[in-house]
């Protein structure tokens, strides 16, 4: 019961009108799940995160992908304020 309630939660819906909404899965959750399984921890080194993400295929982008340099730099910036690790469930990583 919990999983269907989560999947069909209003936060996963696009408001089509004030009468109804189109609800669907958030594909970013699949990508995040893969990242979490590969890392096996709530935080990781920025280089490891960048390597996993670069080799992570999605429905819209084939792997390997080239991560923009500013994005990789941002991972290292986040790690400097967190003892060399990037928290996967932190606000800065989500941004």
């Amino acid at each position: 019961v919990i999983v269907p309630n989560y999947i069909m939660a209003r936060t996963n819906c696009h408001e089509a009108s004030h009468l109804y909404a189109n609800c669907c899965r958030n594909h970013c959750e699949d990508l995040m799940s893969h990242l979490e399984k590969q890392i096996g921890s709530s935080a990781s080194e920025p280089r490891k995160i960048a390597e996993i993400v670069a080799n992570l295929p999605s429905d819209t982008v084939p792997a390997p992908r080239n991560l923009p340099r500013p994005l990789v730099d941002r991972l290292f910036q986040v790690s400097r304020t967190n003892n060399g690790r990037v928290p996967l469930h932190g606000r800065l990583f989500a941004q």
Side-chain angles (χ1 to χ4, degrees), residues 42-83:
S42 62
S44 183
E45 297 77 21
R47 185 167 278 116
K48 183 174 182 178
I49 293 173
E51 178 184 324
I52 292 169
V53 171
N55 291 303
L56 183 62
S58 71
D59 291 341
T60 56
V61 180
R65 64 182 82 204
N66 292 319
L67 298 179
R69 186 76 209 156
L71 186 63
V72 175
D73 290 343
R74 183 73 176 125
L75 280 175
F76 279 91
Q77 183 181 11
V78 170
S79 75
R80 282 193 292 275
T81 61
N82 292 284
N83 300 318

Side-chain angles (χ1 to χ4, degrees), residues 15-63:
E15 299 294 327
S17 77
H18 69 283
L19 299 174
Y20 70 95
N22 294 324
C23 300
C24 56
R25 256 180 65 211
N26 182 345
H27 293 285
C28 293
E29 291 293 328
D30 295 337
L31 300 174
M32 187 65 176
S33 176
H34 179 80
L35 186 62
E36 290 169 337
K37 286 177 187 171
Q38 291 292 312
I39 292 174
S41 177
S42 62
S44 183
E45 297 77 21
R47 185 167 278 116
K48 183 174 182 178
I49 293 173
E51 178 184 324
I52 292 169
V53 171
N55 291 303
L56 183 62
S58 71
D59 291 341
T60 56
V61 180

